[in-house]
Amino acid sequence: MHINRNISRVLAAAVASGGLFVAPLPVHATQLSCSSFTATPDGSGNITVSCTDAGSPPPSNCSISASPTTIPASGGQVTITANCGTSPTVSGGKSVVAGTFANTWTDSIPANTSTSSQSFTYSVSGASGSNQATVLQLAPGGSTPPPTGSISCPGYANTLVYDLPWSALSKVTTKGFNNTAFVVGRFTTPPTSVVSATATIFTGQFTEPTVVRTGAVSTSPCDLSGQGLGTSAVSPGVSQGPSWFYQINGTAPRLSGRLVLRPSTTYYINLTNRDKNNAPTCTAGSCEMILQLTIPTGL
């Protein structure tokens, strides 16, 4: 934007003599910010100054989310998802690495050895701007609040999120689970120092037709690679739905498919109506399923 101002002869004389005179601005004067300006004499002792307004920086069109937003003192995995245009970069956290999907990253947060909570800030910059997200890590002895917040899995039109409370039996039925939807079941294990008995994570068909599904239990939402748990957490191309045995604490699983989970940690049961070749499998408007969590005896 160009703005012209006619400067008085007093200022003209000051400029002509090599000096610069700045008169006090009136109380109600407009304040200008110029990236450049030119001064042009009019031959009558006046100078017209043309100001190019520096303007405001373009608005940022960059969104970023971190999941989970709170992790226990024992540490855990954080997933950062951003939509900031092309060539995004991320900084902050502990040891951020590229994630499974484009524009996603994961970070491994170690155990908190201090006496207070601490936070980790992630900064993302791309062609559309920049933004930040912060994750809180609890202090040792702190309690983990129930997981909250929305989740959006890249590449899917809808993400269906179901929270499974830590009770004797948590059971939900999906609604709207079609080929363009991703199901995320979310639960948090309790703090404990004992090795638990074996319990189950079950998924099964609720409505016809019979569907082949791919699923994984992970420390990250939307992840089908078993992040934090290994390949035994991945079940590709299972008719009606995969299921898992698990225990808390303990060592390497003795039985095939048994998972060892950590206490005070949020886990995600990630599911799609896709086969092992990523081909869609739901032939109806939606193919609903049951998602069920049983907990170990005594916990």
Side-chain angles (χ1 to χ4, degrees):
M1 179 172 67
H2 295 281
I3 302 174
N4 293 330
R5 290 288 185 269
N6 189 266
I7 309 301
S8 68
R9 296 188 181 205
V10 175
L11 178 57
V15 173
S17 64
L20 178 63
F21 172 80
V22 180
L25 288 173
V27 173
H28 299 292
T30 300
Q31 210 171 31
L32 296 177
S33 176
C34 300
S35 58
S36 64
F37 68 89
T38 57
T40 305
D42 64 359
S44 300
N46 296 316
I47 295 178
T48 298
V49 176
S50 297
C51 171
T52 300
D53 190 358
S56 302
S60 175
N61 188 24
C62 173
S63 62
I64 176 177
S65 63
S67 181
T69 55
T70 302
I71 58 175
S74 58
Q77 291 279 346
V78 174
T79 298
I80 304 97
T81 304
N83 183 12
C84 300
T86 58
S87 304
T89 59
V90 63
S91 60
K94 279 290 187 180
S95 54
V96 179
V97 297
T100 304
F101 300 98
N103 299 331
T104 64
W105 299 264
T106 60
D107 192 14
S108 298
I109 305 298
N112 185 359
T113 58
S114 68
T115 58
S116 59
S117 61
Q118 56 187 354
S119 61
F120 300 90
T121 299
Y122 301 90
S123 301
V124 174
S125 296
S128 300
S130 59
N131 212 329
Q132 292 184 329
T134 300
V135 172
L136 174 69
Q137 184 179 27
L138 300 175
S143 60
T144 303
T148 59
S150 61
I151 296 172
S152 179
C153 295
Y156 292 84
N158 296 298
T159 303
L160 310 176
V161 182
Y162 300 96
D163 284 309
L164 299 169
W166 191 260
S167 58
L169 175 65
S170 290
K171 181 179 179 180
V172 297
T173 303
T174 63
K175 185 177 182 180
F177 191 16
N178 54 30
N179 289 328
T180 63
F182 197 109
V183 165
V184 178
R186 181 170 52 183
F187 68 96
T188 299
T189 56
T192 180
S193 59
V194 302
V195 177
S196 76
T198 301
T200 58
I201 299 168
F202 169 80
T203 70
Q205 179 178 323
F206 182 71
T207 60
E208 297 292 341
T210 300
V211 176
V212 171
R213 294 187 171 97
T214 293
V217 180
S218 173
T219 52
S220 299
C222 312
D223 172 56
L224 294 173
S225 67
Q227 180 76 40
L229 291 172
T231 56
S232 60
V234 180
S235 296
V238 178
S239 179
Q240 301 189 41
S243 297
W244 297 266
F245 293 101
Y246 75 93
Q247 64 178 167
I248 300 176
N249 289 327
T251 56
R254 292 177 298 167
L255 300 177
S256 175
R258 180 184 295 178
L259 307 179
V260 176
L261 308 185
R262 298 190 299 267
S264 301
T265 302
T266 299
Y267 290 95
Y268 302 87
I269 309 164
N270 301 313
L271 299 153
T272 65
N273 288 324
R274 306 285 177 91
D275 62 19
K276 62 182 179 181
N277 298 315
N278 201 37
T281 57
C282 179
T283 58
S286 64
C287 300
E288 309 307 344
M289 66 177 301
I290 296 170
L291 179 58
Q292 180 176 293
L293 173 72
T294 58
I295 69 172
T297 304
L299 291 185

